[in-house]
Amino acid sequence: MESIELFAGAGGLALGIAQAGFQHKFLLEKDRKACQTLKLNQNFLFKDTLEKQIIQSDISTFSFDRVKNNISLLAGGPPCQPFSRGGLHRSYLDRRDLFPQLLRAVRSLQPKIVLIENVKGLLRKSFTEYFEYIILQLTYPKIVIKSDETWIEHLYRLEQYHTKGKVKGLHYHVVFRLLNAADYGIPQKRERVFIVGIRSDLNLEWSFPHPSHSQDGLLWEQWITKQYWEQHKIPCPQCPEQLIPRIKRLESRLFPPEHQRWLTVRDTIHDLPEPKEEDNQSIPNHTLHNGAKIYPGHTGSPLDEPAKTIKAGVHGVPGGENMMQFADGKVRYFTIREAARLQTFPDHYQFEGSWTKILHQLGNAVPVLLAEKIADHLQMSLRSIESQHD
């Protein structure tokens, strides 16, 4: 099953898709350092593929006409800045809004499945119309905007076509979901929108994978069975006062939570040595970077919870997402290796660039394990319909 990824970045989504069994035809990325990271890891990204194509290009100037149409999966996360809470919120007025380019690729390649990832801010009330516009364009990619038409006029035309109900030609059945990565075994509270479009002629039944982990599961093992602290061989601390009512409700249950517990920062980095300022030759990218500070609202990620969302920034990131906070209140920055683990990159994965550049790559990445779980769910569904036609 061949796949293509656009806006590949450091390769989180691409690696997860490859691990799910898809074979990338090529990865497209504009940033030079990100492309260097992809090339360092091409043997993991292009499993069982002789031709390893990492294309450094602006998608706006890239022609998809040279690509054969037999693509099972087209994936990508267009730049999130037009919709991010930390951005200017300019949506379709932002020149970095590259959803139109992704939809151009869909029209040209007509893949069986389209997988899109973006920030939670895409679902904000102020973007409601534009989000509907994205969904309807993906549903009917052949109904393109006219040269004398505004996007809102195009939206009205798409709505009319959609409600008419007489659909001809290429179209997709589209579903979307806001997923919290922590609910799928990723040690990070990372909420992202995933959009899946399935080509209508496949008659494919599909739904997002069910969550496997929960906060209740973590609280149960921390404050009721105390297994969490025993596992890490540390004394059980006093339960935070604000959690006591919830713990009492959990204790009243006859059975433990059905889901596994959320994974924490401590779970993720417990076997790494404390980083030093000089390079650690045995553990690449595990070097201490000084300068982490606490100030109001900028407190870092507690060790015994999933991390806050790793973000594409370093100094002054709201909430201190790229720092860890110890029980005594002290903080330090995550090393590159620690941040990569929180994004579920394997330890053999290498990164190219300065500390700031790499954290930017990591903050923009999709957690590898979450990408793999969604892609595996898609791949199994495709396999099932293929076996029916054998």
Side-chain angles (χ1 to χ4, degrees):
M1 292 185 182
E2 290 190 327
S3 59
I4 288 173
E5 183 169 342
L6 313 176
F7 321 105
L13 183 58
L15 183 59
I17 288 171
Q19 291 179 171
F22 288 93
Q23 293 188 340
H24 293 304
K25 194 171 183 65
F26 65 83
L27 308 178
L28 185 71
E29 170 56 43
K30 181 180 178 180
D31 183 76
R32 181 174 63 86
K33 287 295 183 183
C35 284
Q36 290 174 355
T37 292
L38 295 173
K39 288 175 182 176
L40 283 174
N41 301 282
Q42 60 184 358
N43 288 338
F44 310 117
L45 295 165
F46 293 89
K47 292 185 177 180
D48 304 320
T49 304
L50 294 176
E51 190 177 8
K52 299 176 171 64
Q53 282 201 69
I54 295 165
I55 302 173
Q56 184 183 348
S57 174
D58 185 334
I59 189 174
S60 302
T61 60
F62 186 81
S63 174
F64 293 98
D65 294 339
R66 53 176 149 155
V67 185
K68 293 181 180 179
N69 282 6
N70 190 26
I71 300 298
S72 293
L73 177 64
L74 174 67
C80 64
Q81 292 89 341
F83 313 100
S84 172
R85 290 182 180 276
L88 297 175
H89 317 146
R90 288 172 57 81
S91 181
Y92 54 89
L93 296 175
D94 195 314
R95 59 183 176 80
R96 295 168 297 183
D97 173 24
L98 294 179
F99 271 100
Q101 295 299 327
L102 187 151
L103 292 161
R104 178 173 68 88
V106 174
R107 279 194 297 275
S108 179
L109 300 174
Q110 302 183 25
K112 293 178 180 177
I113 296 177
V114 181
L115 172 61
I116 303 172
E117 179 265 356
N118 216 273
V119 292
K120 179 182 179 180
L122 190 61
L123 299 180
R124 293 172 68 181
K125 187 176 181 180
S126 55
F127 298 147
T128 298
E129 282 187 320
Y130 195 65
F131 182 68
E132 182 190 358
Y133 183 47
I134 291 169
I135 297 299
L136 284 175
Q137 284 182 99
L138 178 55
T139 304
Y140 308 110
K142 289 291 187 179
I143 303 180
V144 298
I145 190 168
K146 298 176 181 177
S147 59
D148 61 346
E149 195 173 34
T150 66
W151 78 264
I152 198 73
E153 290 170 337
H154 188 209
L155 168 61
Y156 292 155
R157 189 157 58 90
L158 285 163
E159 287 176 332
Q160 290 167 354
Y161 185 82
H162 181 65
T163 55
K164 188 176 181 180
K166 294 181 180 179
V167 180
K168 296 179 181 179
L170 175 70
H171 67 283
Y172 288 81
H173 297 307
V174 183
V175 293
F176 65 89
R177 185 82 65 84
L178 179 66
L179 302 181
N180 184 347
D183 293 339
Y184 293 86
I186 287 79
Q188 187 184 164
K189 299 172 186 173
R190 187 182 190 89
E191 290 186 301
R192 289 293 184 267
V193 179
F194 287 86
I195 305 169
V196 172
I198 298 174
R199 209 172 64 201
S200 60
D201 63 305
L202 298 177
N203 296 315
L204 179 65
E205 293 182 0
W206 189 83
S207 63
F208 283 96
H210 294 297
S212 53
H213 295 65
S214 72
Q215 183 180 19
D216 277 356
L218 177 60
L219 296 177
W220 182 275
E221 290 199 14
Q222 283 181 330
W223 308 113
I224 297 177
T225 68
K226 314 292 175 65
Q227 286 176 300
Y228 175 84
W229 311 107
E230 292 172 10
Q231 177 187 337
H232 288 290
K233 297 180 172 59
I234 55 177
C236 178
Q238 185 173 352
C239 180
E241 190 172 337
Q242 67 270 21
L243 286 178
I244 291 176
R246 186 165 181 177
I247 300 304
K248 286 183 176 178
R249 286 196 297 272
L250 275 175
E251 282 181 317
S252 67
R253 299 170 56 152
L254 295 176
F255 303 101
E258 60 177 322
H259 294 130
Q260 301 175 63
R261 66 173 175 83
W262 272 358
L263 298 180
T264 68
V265 174
R266 191 188 298 274
D267 289 325
T268 307
I269 67 170
H270 71 93
D271 60 334
L272 289 173
E274 191 63 22
K276 299 179 180 180
E277 292 184 48
E278 62 272 14
D279 289 340
N280 188 320
Q281 298 300 321
S282 61
I283 306 174
N285 302 122
H286 188 53
T287 306
L288 179 65
H289 195 97
N290 291 315
K293 296 179 181 179
I294 293 178
Y295 48 86
H298 189 264
T299 56
S301 295
L303 267 177
D304 297 305
E305 298 177 18
K308 297 179 180 181
T309 304
I310 299 295
K311 290 190 176 176
V314 185
H315 304 289
V317 172
E321 284 85 352
N322 296 341
M323 306 186 307
M324 75 167 73
Q325 182 184 55
F326 297 93
D328 61 4
K330 294 180 180 178
V331 297
R332 69 163 172 82
Y333 284 119
F334 289 119
T335 68
I336 295 300
R337 181 51 51 201
E338 289 168 337
R341 282 194 176 188
L342 293 171
Q343 285 283 56
T344 58
F345 281 95
D347 283 353
H348 60 248
Y349 206 86
Q350 302 177 64
F351 299 90
E352 179 62 37
S354 65
W355 182 67
T356 303
K357 289 284 188 183
I358 295 173
L359 272 181
H360 187 84
Q361 292 175 36
L362 285 169
N364 282 331
V366 176
V368 176
L369 181 58
L370 181 57
E372 181 180 356
K373 288 186 175 184
I374 295 172
D376 185 61
H377 215 53
L378 290 167
Q379 186 260 145
M380 285 193 298
S381 295
L382 279 176
R383 295 275 186 214
S384 68
I385 61 169
E386 285 183 355
S387 63
Q388 292 173 14
H389 296 299
D390 289 343

